[in-house]
Amino acid sequence: MVGKTNSNDKDKNRFSLEVSKLLMDFKKDFGIKNQDGYREISGSRAEVLGFVQDSVLEWANDDLLLIYVGHGSPGGWALSGYDNADVLEYGILKPLFSPHKGNLIFLNACCYGFTGKEILEYHSRNFFAAAVPGDKAGAIDGFFKEI
C-alpha cells in the first residue's frame, strides 16, 4: 500500500519511488514476477480496507508480504497524507488477519510505525519491521535499504 503525500512533502513521488525501488530489488534478488501475486494500491480508507480484506481471504493459506509506505498516525495509516483524516486504524485491520494461516511479513514504513505491530496480535506466524518507533514521527526514506 502506498500512502499519499501532503503539502509538507517536497518530493510528491517519495512513497511510490520507495515502493518501486523495493519491488525492483525483490524481482532481482528473489525472482518475484508481477504474476506471482504482487498488487499495489493507493486509495481511500474504504478502498484500502477492502483490498486488505480481499487479499487476506484470497491468500489465506499462502505466505503474505504486507508493505505500507506513507504517512502514519499514532493509531494507523494516514492514507490522506495527514494524521487526522482518512486514517485506517490498526484496530480495524487486526481481526482481518485472524483467518490467515500462512506466514505474514509486515513492513510498516511510516511515522509511529511500530504501533502497527498490533495488527499481528491474532497471527502467530509473523515477522514485523517498522521504520519509526511507536511514539515518534520521523522520516522513513531509505528504510528498505536498512532491512
Side-chain angles (χ1 to χ4, degrees), residues 15-65:
F15 299 139
S16 58
L17 288 174
E18 283 285 320
V19 170
S20 293
K21 287 182 215 170
L22 179 66
L23 291 173
M24 283 192 312
D25 288 344
F26 277 6
K27 289 174 183 178
K28 180 181 75 175
D29 296 341
F30 303 110
I32 294 173
K33 299 178 179 86
N34 287 349
Q35 65 265 27
D36 288 338
Y38 151 75
R39 294 184 189 157
E40 182 180 332
I41 185 172
S42 180
S44 69
R45 182 181 189 276
E47 290 168 328
V48 172
L49 183 60
F51 173 80
V52 170
Q53 186 170 23
D54 292 347
S55 297
V56 169
L57 291 174
E58 181 178 342
W59 294 314
N61 296 310
D62 298 313
D63 296 338
L64 191 61
L65 171 63

Side-chain angles (χ1 to χ4, degrees), residues 33-140:
K33 299 178 179 86
N34 287 349
Q35 65 265 27
D36 288 338
Y38 151 75
R39 294 184 189 157
E40 182 180 332
I41 185 172
S42 180
S44 69
R45 182 181 189 276
E47 290 168 328
V48 172
L49 183 60
F51 173 80
V52 170
Q53 186 170 23
D54 292 347
S55 297
V56 169
L57 291 174
E58 181 178 342
W59 294 314
N61 296 310
D62 298 313
D63 296 338
L64 191 61
L65 171 63
L66 173 66
I67 302 168
Y68 175 73
V69 181
H71 286 286
S73 74
W77 297 330
L79 299 171
S80 69
Y82 298 92
D83 66 2
N84 60 354
D86 213 18
V87 173
L88 181 50
E89 300 86 358
Y90 297 126
I92 299 293
L93 290 166
K94 179 172 46 176
L96 299 181
F97 289 94
S98 62
H100 185 256
K101 304 299 181 223
N103 295 310
L104 175 62
I105 299 172
F106 177 26
L107 307 177
N108 201 25
C110 64
C111 291
Y112 311 101
F114 197 78
T115 57
K117 190 166 176 56
E118 175 184 348
I119 287 176
L120 304 173
E121 184 176 330
Y122 302 137
H123 199 286
S124 60
R125 299 172 52 182
N126 64 70
F127 173 81
F128 174 76
V132 181
D135 61 346
K136 301 257 189 266
I140 57 93

